[in-house]
């Protein structure tokens, strides 16, 4: 049985081999050539795939692959030449159309041919390292048509012409453009790049250069930016519609370079519409646009930042040196806050909260706030004003917001200890006169300061609050135990202050009237009874009194006066007329204070419960004072001469400065000793650097002052100079 | 009887085999034939002639198609080939690119 089968095999094989002769190859090839012709002429429907496939298969199988391949090349080339001619013949606008159509047809034909010749593709070609059919087809197309001289230049010209037309606003056939570019891309990336992209970029660069020149002459900054943005978006759209995506980056670069980068300085500094004007006029949209566009260009943002910083510094400096502004500190600080708000808004809305801009803003503010040495005082006054009356009726959130803003300004200060001093003074006055609008607000601010600067900063301030609370309790106790004793006598309310926490005041002499003395003694005994070992002294320069006064026609008024003024007025209970000298003698109030208090009692319109002879503005030793029977006022309660926190006069300012300097000395010394104890040996420059670093949260120490302190420490034998090196210091235990 | 997704394979001795298109597509050659963009006769009529493949071989090939589909779906069975058919089967397979 197997023999029979073998025979069957043999016969079949033999049958095949018989057919192999040169003619066979020629015949087969003819069939295939004919088929290819038909395919190109769109006549493929009559053919049998299987037959053609089989023919190709046989040719390759019988080692006629070479013939097949070269035949294929020749046939295709001749066809393509025909096609090329027909394309060239096409006129004007139809050129692209024709090209596109023929390309589509070619592709189709190519695929069919490839399918038929699949076997050759699979076996013959890898073995001989020839290009596969498909690729071959593309290459031939490229060589014969695209790179044919006439067609190449024409194609380029038309494509670029189309782009130019679209840029001027005409509508072109985008689909067609898309197919053509796709064709170029299919032919190989280098074809696309060399034949089209390169020239496209060049032409675009020229185009935009011209256009930007035109625009910048005729438009202002905002307009120009709008136009630039529009062009940029256009190009991106164009790429998405009919260009290769990799071109996007390249063309946007071109636009950016030509339209933005080359004119960047001019844009920013443009008269009446440049960056500064935009900031001043709060043109958020324009600023936002500028930000986005400049972000694409290297150094674009840096430029904006620099210009903005120098402008802020200039405005700030102006504000700080303007004498008009400096007259009203509250107004001044409000202006600062408004300025900060404005720039914050610009950064959030137009510059997308860019951190670098935020930093630039902070450093500028820090710079110019510290230009004026009175800034700490002003900020403290601002807070004082707000806490006295400005925060009345404001919601809790708004209070918090305002305090946070103040804290922001506080952070910019370099001389925080000056601020502390002023704040203490103002706080003392607020607490003692009971003028604070909201206790919560006060405390909240203290907490914020504590978070910012540490416990030490606020310990004394907190001490003041504690004293007030303790005093309240003490008073309650006092009234509870002595309430019955007082009866008709004057009502006393005492605040007991711990000397260390409150700003130091010189103790002044003052003789209290008899009526008051009695109850004061009672209180003193009561207090010392519960707290032994303490010393109490009356601070007569800080107290207030409420007096009930009856005038000539029986009008009763309640007068709110300072303690000094009370002493003076009580004298008039016994006499109608007193000379200055007499008053001075009895009350023993210091001269300047006495003069001030008499001035407010006699010379101020509407509050002149005393009459002065002679009627002049100033008080001199020879004046006499009379009780003013004819005093009238619309209000029942009259307030006379309460001392509100004011901007210090020059000499006072000097005095405070001096005290601050004095306070700084021990702090510097303590820092030096700390550092030296740790390091043992250190040279001069390093000490200065370390001290500055340690103290910078409070103030900026002057290197000269540091040097002086070092020398003082050497004298007191805390440090010694190294014998060999004069700049080296050593710690002495 | 002729559903849309079948093809007819005709052998040298005019035996007709009707199989699903999916099965036929196992062969790359047939797949190309049927999906070629050109308007070849095969696509139109839905039948392919193989003047050089005998019926016996063609039958075995159709069986192979179905077995291949099964195998790809996870059913790992054996495909038995009679030794006499081997040579012709291999040649046909080469031709059909299977």
């Amino acid at each position: 049985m197997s023999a029979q089968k073998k025979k069957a095999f043999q016969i079949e094989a033999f049958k095949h081999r018989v057919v192999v002769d040169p003619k066979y190859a020629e015949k087969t090839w003819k069939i295939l050539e004919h088929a290819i012709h038909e395919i190109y002429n769109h006549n493929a429907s009559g053919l049998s795939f299987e037959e053609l496939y089989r023919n190709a298969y046989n040719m390759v199988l019988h080692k006629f692959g070479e013939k097949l391949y070269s035949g294929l090349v020749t046939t295709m080339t001749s066809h393509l030449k025909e096609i090329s001619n027909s394309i060239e013949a096409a006129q004007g606008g139809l050129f692209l159309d024709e090209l596109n159509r023929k390309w589509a047809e070619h592709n189709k034909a190519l695929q069919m041919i490839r399918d038929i010749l699949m076997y050759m593709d699979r076996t013959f070609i890898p073995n001989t390292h020839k290009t596969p059919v498909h690729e071959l087809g593309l290459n031939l197309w490229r060589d014969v048509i695209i790179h044919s001289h006439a067609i190449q230049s024409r194609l380029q010209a038309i494509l670029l012409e189309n782009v130019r037309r679209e840029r001027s606003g005409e509508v072109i056939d985008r689909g067609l453009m898309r197919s053509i570019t796709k064709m170029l891309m299919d032919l190989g990336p280098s074809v696309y790049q060399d034949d089209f992209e390169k020239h496209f970029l060049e032409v675009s660069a020229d185009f935009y250069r011209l256009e930007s020149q035109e625009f910048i002459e005729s438009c202002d900054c905002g307009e120009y930016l709008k136009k630039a943005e529009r062009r940029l978006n256009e190009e991106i759209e164009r790429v998405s519609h009919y260009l290769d995506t990799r071109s996007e980056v390249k063309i946007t670069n071109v636009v950016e370079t030509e339209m933005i980068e080359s004119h960047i300085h001019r844009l920013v500094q443009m008269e009446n519409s440049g960056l500064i004007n935009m900031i001043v006029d709060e043109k958020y949209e324009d600023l936002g646009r500028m930000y986005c566009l400049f972000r694409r260009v290297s150094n674009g943002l840096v430029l904006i930042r620099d210009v903005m910083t120098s402008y802020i510094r200039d405005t700030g400096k102006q504000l700080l040196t303007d004498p008009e502004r400096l007259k009203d500190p509250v107004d001044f600080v409000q202006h600062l806050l408004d300025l900060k708000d404005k720039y914050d808004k610009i950064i959030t809305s137009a510059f997308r909260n860019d951190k670098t801009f935020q930093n630039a803003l902070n450093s500028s503010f820090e710079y110019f706030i510290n230009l004026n040495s009175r800034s700490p005082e002003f900020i403290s006054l601002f807070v004082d004003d707000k806490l006295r009356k400005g925060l009345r009726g404001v919601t809790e959130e708004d209070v918090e917001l305002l305090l946070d803003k103040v804290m922001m300004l506080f952070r910019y200060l370099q001389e925080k200890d000056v601020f502390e001093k002023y704040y203490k003074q103002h706080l003392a006055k607020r607490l003692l006169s009971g003028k604070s609008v909201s206790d919560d607000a006060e405390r909240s601010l203290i907490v914020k300061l504590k978070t910012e600067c540490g416990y030490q900063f606020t310990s004394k301030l907190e001490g003041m609050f504690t004293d007030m609370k303790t005093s309240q309790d003490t008073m309650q106790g006092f009234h509870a135990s002595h309430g019955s004793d007082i009866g008709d006598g004057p009502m006393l309310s005492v605040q007991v202050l711990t000397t260390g926490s409150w700003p130091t005041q010189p103790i002044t002499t003052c003789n209290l009237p008899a009526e008051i003395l009695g109850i004061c003694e009672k209180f003193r005994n009561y207090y010392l009874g519960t707290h032994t070992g303490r010393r109490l002294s009356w601070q007569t320069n800080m107290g207030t009194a409420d007096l009930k006064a009856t005038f000539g026609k029986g009008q009763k008024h309640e007068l709110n006066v300072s303690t000094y003024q009370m002493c003076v007025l009580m004298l008039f209970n016994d006499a109608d007329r007193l000379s200055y000298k007499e008053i001075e003698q009895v009350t023993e109030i210091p001269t300047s204070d006495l003069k001030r208090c008499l001035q407010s009692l006699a010379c101020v319109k509407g509050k002149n419960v005393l009459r002065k002879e002679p009627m002049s503005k100033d008080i001199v030793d020879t004046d006499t004072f009379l009780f003013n029977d004819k005093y009238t006022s619309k209000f029942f309660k009259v307030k006379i001469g309460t001392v509100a926190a004011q901007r210090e006069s020059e000499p006072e300012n000097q005095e405070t400065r001096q005290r601050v300097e004095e306070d700084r000395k021990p702090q510097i010394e303590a820092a030096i000793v700390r550092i030296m104890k740790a390091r043992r040996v250190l040279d001069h420059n390093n000490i200065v650097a370390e001290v500055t670093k340690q103290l910078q949260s409070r103030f900026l120490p002057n290197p000269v002052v540091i040097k002086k302190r070092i020398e003082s420490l050497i004298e007191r034998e805390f440090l010694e100079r190294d014998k060999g090196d004069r700049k080296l210091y050593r710690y002495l235990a | 009887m002729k559903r849309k997704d079948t093809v007819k394979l005709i052998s040298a001795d005019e035996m007709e085999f009707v199989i699903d298109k999916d099965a036929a597509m196992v062969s790359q050659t047939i797949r190309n034939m049927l999906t070629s963009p050109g308007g070849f006769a095969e696509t139109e009529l839905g039948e392919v002639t193989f003047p050089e493949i005998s019926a016996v071989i063609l039958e075995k090939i159709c069986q192979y198609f179905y077995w291949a589909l099964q195998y790809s779906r996870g059913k790992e069975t054996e495909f038995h080939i009679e030794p006499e058919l081997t040579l012709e089967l291999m040649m046909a397979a080469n031709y059909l690119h299977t």
Side-chain angles (χ1 to χ4, degrees):
Chain A
M1 187 161 119
S2 49
Q4 242 187 339
K5 286 286 180 187
K6 272 211 190 111
K7 252 196 181 165
F9 280 153
Q10 289 248 343
I11 291 174
E12 297 217 34
F14 183 64
K15 201 161 61 181
H16 274 177
R17 238 183 285 137
V18 160
V19 184
V20 176
D21 61 336
K23 277 219 214 99
Y24 173 74
E26 206 43 53
K27 225 175 35 168
T28 326
W29 168 243
K30 273 284 172 279
I31 300 177
L32 285 170
E33 193 181 2
H34 175 76
I36 294 180
H37 280 302
E38 292 300 302
I39 289 176
Y40 267 108
N41 295 336
H42 313 117
N43 259 344
S45 49
L47 300 170
S48 158
F49 182 98
E50 197 276 323
E51 184 191 337
L52 299 169
Y53 183 81
R54 192 167 21 100
N55 281 324
Y57 177 80
N58 287 335
M59 273 190 85
V60 176
L61 207 55
H62 297 299
K63 313 279 187 255
F64 288 113
E66 189 60 47
K67 185 169 170 57
L68 182 59
Y69 192 82
S70 49
L72 174 68
V73 173
T74 341
T75 325
M76 277 185 83
T77 318
S78 71
H79 267 283
L80 286 177
K81 281 227 172 61
E82 254 179 62
I83 294 181
S84 156
N85 288 339
S86 84
I87 292 179
E88 266 175 57
Q91 294 298 324
L94 297 172
F95 177 77
L96 280 186
D97 229 6
E98 188 68 19
L99 181 61
N100 195 29
R101 226 160 25 91
K102 289 286 184 237
W103 165 253
E105 284 171 12
H106 171 75
N107 262 339
K108 192 160 157 230
L110 189 57
Q111 189 158 357
M112 284 161 67
I113 294 174
R114 189 192 55 143
D115 286 338
I116 299 174
L117 302 179
M118 180 66 81
Y119 190 72
M120 176 177 81
D121 235 4
R122 262 199 302 144
T123 48
F124 177 68
I125 282 171
N127 284 342
T128 49
H129 303 288
K130 295 213 198 289
T131 39
V133 175
H134 184 77
E135 215 178 299
L136 176 69
L138 293 179
N139 288 351
L140 283 178
W141 173 271
R142 182 190 62 207
D143 294 332
V144 172
I145 295 193
I146 302 297
H147 285 173
S148 98
H149 189 70
I151 295 189
Q152 186 178 32
S153 45
R154 229 173 128 190
L155 177 63
Q156 228 177 63
I158 292 199
L159 286 175
L160 293 174
E161 176 65 23
N162 273 346
V163 172
R164 192 195 64 77
R165 274 167 55 208
E166 197 181 38
R167 281 195 184 132
S168 335
E170 288 178 44
V171 178
I172 61 167
D173 185 347
R174 281 187 162 178
L176 187 55
M177 292 292 286
R178 185 181 233 331
S179 329
I180 301 286
T181 43
K182 192 154 184 313
M183 170 183 80
L184 289 172
M185 282 191 270
D186 286 341
L187 289 175
S190 62
V191 176
Y192 175 73
Q193 272 170 7
D194 294 332
D195 270 1
F196 173 68
E197 202 182 35
K198 220 172 31 178
H199 302 273
F200 171 67
L201 291 174
E202 262 172 40
V203 166
S204 310
D206 291 332
F207 176 77
Y208 280 118
R209 198 171 300 134
L210 273 176
E211 197 176 76
S212 67
Q213 214 37 50
E214 227 182 87
F215 280 168
I216 207 150
E217 302 291 334
S218 60
C219 315
D220 71 356
C221 187
E223 289 273 318
Y224 184 86
L225 288 176
K226 268 202 199 95
K227 288 208 166 103
E229 195 185 43
R230 196 167 55 94
R231 279 296 184 204
L232 203 56
N233 286 340
E234 243 181 60
E235 287 303 322
I236 295 179
E237 208 207 341
R238 177 170 301 121
V239 169
S240 73
H241 272 144
Y242 58 80
L243 295 176
D244 181 28
T245 38
R246 278 164 300 184
S247 304
E248 182 178 330
V249 176
K250 295 184 196 162
I251 183 70
T252 43
N253 262 344
V254 166
V255 178
E256 285 157 19
T257 328
E258 294 303 327
M259 290 208 94
I260 301 177
E261 200 168 344
S262 22
H263 299 283
I264 199 167
H265 287 277
R266 200 164 156 188
L267 279 174
V268 167
Q269 262 119 19
M270 209 179 263
E271 279 292 313
N272 295 337
S273 63
L275 179 64
I276 311 275
N277 300 80
M278 282 194 211
I279 291 180
V280 169
D281 297 332
E282 296 184 1
K283 294 224 171 81
Y284 294 125
E285 208 189 293
D286 285 343
L287 282 171
R289 195 172 296 120
M290 188 184 251
Y291 179 78
C292 293
L293 286 175
F294 279 31
R295 201 151 65 118
R296 292 165 169 268
V297 175
S298 66
N299 295 335
L301 289 184
V302 174
L303 187 63
I304 297 186
R305 210 171 38 236
D306 289 338
V307 171
M308 194 176 89
T309 317
S310 57
Y311 176 68
I312 296 179
R313 286 190 186 204
D314 285 337
T315 350
K317 224 190 323 200
Q318 250 183 7
L319 183 65
L320 265 113
T321 44
D322 184 355
E324 273 302 312
R325 285 261 179 269
L326 294 178
K327 285 210 183 100
D328 183 0
V330 178
D331 191 45
F332 170 78
V333 175
Q334 189 61 44
H335 265 284
L336 282 181
L337 285 178
D338 291 339
L339 201 64
K340 181 99 190 7
D341 274 343
K342 177 173 158 165
Y343 282 106
D344 274 342
K345 192 157 170 223
I346 291 183
I347 292 183
T348 31
S349 56
F351 293 159
R352 298 204 200 157
N353 252 333
D354 190 328
K355 273 258 161 357
T356 48
F357 279 86
Q358 197 64 275
N359 288 344
L361 179 66
N362 285 344
S363 73
S364 319
F365 261 79
E366 206 175 303
Y367 166 74
F368 69 70
I369 279 191
N370 289 311
L371 281 182
N372 184 350
S373 54
R374 301 193 73 163
S375 304
E377 188 196 340
F378 287 173
I379 297 182
S380 176
L381 281 171
F382 178 78
V383 176
D384 181 72
D385 176 75
K386 287 289 170 214
L387 287 171
R388 274 175 186 266
K389 35 190 163 75
L391 290 177
R392 191 161 286 146
V394 178
T395 65
E396 206 176 295
E397 292 168 2
D398 288 342
V399 169
E400 285 295 309
L401 270 173
L402 184 66
L403 292 180
D404 281 332
K405 283 194 192 151
V406 172
M407 281 311 292
M408 225 167 28
L409 286 181
F410 175 74
R411 260 178 228 126
Y412 292 140
L413 284 175
Q414 266 171 355
E415 301 196 304
K416 297 189 168 74
D417 57 345
V418 175
F419 175 84
E420 188 195 0
K421 206 165 213 63
Y422 282 113
Y423 189 72
K424 250 190 1 190
Q425 279 175 7
H426 298 153
L427 180 64
K429 290 192 189 125
R430 273 204 303 279
L431 287 176
L432 290 176
S433 51
K435 282 263 176 305
S436 176
V437 159
S438 152
D439 212 30
D440 286 335
E442 298 265 6
R443 284 190 188 277
S444 146
L445 187 57
I446 304 276
V447 167
K448 288 190 209 297
L449 283 171
K450 188 149 75 161
T451 335
E452 188 65 28
C453 297
Y455 170 67
Q456 267 186 325
F457 195 86
T458 51
S459 59
K460 298 210 177 115
L461 301 173
E462 286 183 347
M464 288 156 82
F465 275 102
T466 328
D467 280 343
M468 297 300 289
K469 188 94 197 336
T470 327
S471 304
Q472 255 184 335
D473 295 336
T474 316
M475 283 317 296
Q476 269 181 341
F478 178 65
H479 282 298
S481 60
H482 288 274
S484 48
D485 284 353
I486 300 174
D488 266 338
M491 276 281 291
L492 183 66
S493 170
V494 183
Q495 264 103 12
V496 185
L497 313 176
T498 321
T499 318
S501 308
W502 297 72
T504 45
Q505 304 273 357
I507 303 208
T508 52
T509 52
C510 173
N511 282 341
L512 296 168
E515 296 94 330
I516 309 296
L517 273 176
I519 192 146
C520 291
E521 274 311 303
K522 281 213 178 83
F523 180 79
R524 180 190 285 271
N525 292 334
Y526 168 75
Y527 188 79
L528 291 175
T530 42
H531 302 93
T532 50
R534 292 189 184 181
R535 212 171 48 171
L536 286 179
S537 38
W538 295 104
Q539 297 282 104
T540 43
N541 54 347
M542 302 213 292
T544 55
D546 286 331
L547 295 173
K548 284 206 185 78
T550 321
F551 291 93
K553 300 218 183 73
Q555 316 108 289
K556 288 202 200 296
H557 286 283
E558 205 174 284
L559 304 171
N560 180 281
V561 297
S562 72
T563 312
Y564 288 154
Q565 288 162 341
M566 174 202 61
C567 299
V568 170
L569 286 175
M570 293 296 279
L571 292 178
F572 284 89
N573 267 346
D574 305 315
D576 266 341
R577 190 192 175 91
L578 288 167
S579 75
Y580 177 82
K581 283 254 176 322
E582 286 172 329
I583 298 178
E584 193 178 14
Q585 220 177 16
V586 178
T587 58
E588 287 185 26
I589 297 175
T591 321
S592 59
D593 291 323
L594 182 59
K595 285 209 172 130
R596 259 216 318 256
C597 111
L598 283 172
Q599 229 175 358
S600 47
L601 281 175
C603 308
V604 178
K605 205 164 185 239
K607 311 241 168 115
N608 48 343
V609 287
L610 290 181
R611 253 185 314 133
K612 190 165 79 82
E613 280 167 10
M615 286 291 283
S616 55
K617 264 272 165 184
D618 298 319
I619 313 277
V620 277
D621 291 357
T622 49
D623 284 338
T624 348
F625 292 90
L626 305 107
F627 186 70
N628 188 1
D629 275 345
K630 301 195 189 62
Y631 175 73
T632 51
S633 165
K634 280 189 290 181
F635 305 106
F636 177 65
K637 283 195 184 166
V638 182
K639 216 156 62 161
I640 302 186
T642 19
V643 183
Q646 275 163 352
R647 193 174 155 282
E648 281 184 336
S649 58
E650 269 311 303
E652 283 181 344
N653 189 21
Q654 298 286 28
E655 211 192 295
T656 320
R657 273 270 140 195
Q658 242 184 341
R659 267 189 265 152
V660 170
E661 286 299 324
E662 283 300 314
D663 282 341
R664 284 184 182 173
K665 287 193 190 150
Q667 287 182 34
I668 296 179
E669 289 185 353
I672 296 176
V673 172
R674 256 202 310 274
I675 293 167
M676 289 307 293
K677 199 165 174 185
R679 306 290 199 94
R680 294 278 149 185
V681 183
L682 203 57
D683 75 297
H684 185 85
N685 287 337
N686 278 339
I687 291 189
V688 173
E690 282 293 326
V691 169
T692 317
K693 207 164 66 160
Q694 278 203 10
L695 293 173
Q696 74 183 22
S697 61
R698 280 184 66 82
F699 62 93
L700 204 59
N702 189 341
V704 173
V705 176
I706 298 180
K707 191 169 193 321
K708 277 215 176 69
R709 292 293 100 222
I710 294 179
E711 275 162 23
S712 151
L713 284 172
I714 291 176
E715 267 174 45
R716 286 182 277 154
E717 299 194 359
F718 280 94
L719 301 177
E720 71 171 359
R721 274 221 172 79
D722 186 62
K723 277 132 204 129
D725 183 0
R726 275 205 66 91
K727 287 217 126 199
L728 217 54
Y729 300 103
R730 202 186 296 269
Y731 178 71
L732 291 174
Chain B
M1 239 264 313
K2 214 186 204 171
R3 283 172 303 161
K4 280 293 172 186
D5 48 355
T6 55
V7 285
K8 205 194 289 191
L9 305 179
I10 308 178
S11 72
D13 25 357
E14 287 168 26
M15 279 277 250
E16 300 184 350
F17 296 89
V18 179
I19 56 172
D20 295 328
K21 259 213 180 123
D22 301 334
M25 298 290 205
V26 175
S27 151
Q28 286 291 7
T29 313
I30 299 182
R31 179 189 294 232
N32 282 340
M33 227 184 272
L34 295 171
T35 54
S36 181
F40 287 116
E42 279 82 5
T43 9
E44 311 259 310
L45 299 174
E47 55 177 61
V48 193
T49 327
F50 294 109
E52 290 188 2
I53 307 183
S54 69
V56 183
I57 304 298
L58 198 51
E59 183 181 359
K60 203 71 191 171
I61 287 176
C62 293
Q63 284 173 1
Y64 175 75
F65 287 157
Y66 280 105
W67 178 86
L69 284 183
Q70 259 184 7
Y71 196 89
S72 67
R73 285 187 203 123
K75 208 164 154 189
E76 298 192 5
T77 45
E78 277 195 26
F79 187 72
H80 183 69
I81 305 180
E82 286 80 17
E84 313 84 66
L85 303 174
T86 322
L87 177 60
E88 287 194 17
L89 203 56
M90 288 303 121
M91 284 172 62
N94 188 26
Y95 180 70
L96 291 173
H97 195 190
T98 312

